[in-house]
Amino acid sequence: ALVIAEAAGAARVPVRRRSRRSFTAVPGLAAIVRALDELELSRRAPIAALIRGGLLQAAASSPDALIGALRRYRGLLRHAADAAVAGRAPARAMLRRCVGRDAGQLVLWPLLATGPEEAELALGDLARLDGLIDEAARLAGSRDPKYERLRALLADGQRTLVFTTAVETVAY
């Protein structure tokens, strides 16, 4: 729902008007959302649901936000796959501690003692991610009705504050 506040009368008290706006999704987004549903994301259902929610939120924000989220997930899985080759099975939290935000961080997994944590990452998703990222990149160049509506709203030249849930959406 969109809430618009306008000055009302001499008191200059804002009056709220509620209005619903719906946007047609970027063409092709529905296929990507269906493909996201096919990813395992975690061996634990509650964790998989949280990750899926984050990916869907990124998809709702912009194609660029979805690409960023998928790339971060792919980076995490690549580190987990490297650890598995070294005979380690670190949990997601351990991976985050070792790698931080830099997906290019080198970790010498054979030298790292892993604790009793159970790895819940779904390494099988790694094979599908490159295709999903490529598909999302194709969407980034297509017509986006939500973006076009925002441009129309901003065309009046008024100062406007726009909130977004993803950093990548700002650049988009």
Side-chain angles (χ1 to χ4, degrees), residues 74-84 90 95 99 102-107 109 121 123 126:
R74 180 182 61 186
L76 186 70
L77 290 183
R78 283 181 175 167
H79 281 292
D82 289 345
L95 283 166
V99 177
D102 185 8
Q105 175 67 47
L106 176 65
V107 180
W109 292 109
L121 290 160
L123 294 179
L126 194 53

Side-chain angles (χ1 to χ4, degrees), residues 82-100:
D82 289 345
V85 168
R88 302 290 190 264
R92 186 180 305 268
M94 172 67 117
L95 283 166
R96 295 252 188 244
R97 279 194 307 272
C98 292
V99 177

Side-chain angles (χ1 to χ4, degrees), residues 20-91:
R20 284 211 172 276
R21 301 275 190 241
S22 60
F23 302 95
T24 306
V26 175
L29 184 61
I32 290 180
V33 169
R34 283 191 300 275
L36 293 176
D37 283 339
E38 294 171 9
L39 294 175
E40 186 179 0
L41 301 174
S42 175
R43 293 188 178 124
R44 295 184 190 146
I47 293 173
L50 283 172
I51 296 167
R52 185 168 283 108
L55 292 173
L56 291 173
Q57 185 178 28
S61 186
S62 70
D64 285 5
L66 177 60
I67 292 167
L70 290 172
R71 284 182 177 158
R72 285 187 296 276
Y73 180 52
R74 180 182 61 186
L76 186 70
L77 290 183
R78 283 181 175 167
H79 281 292
D82 289 345
V85 168
R88 302 290 190 264

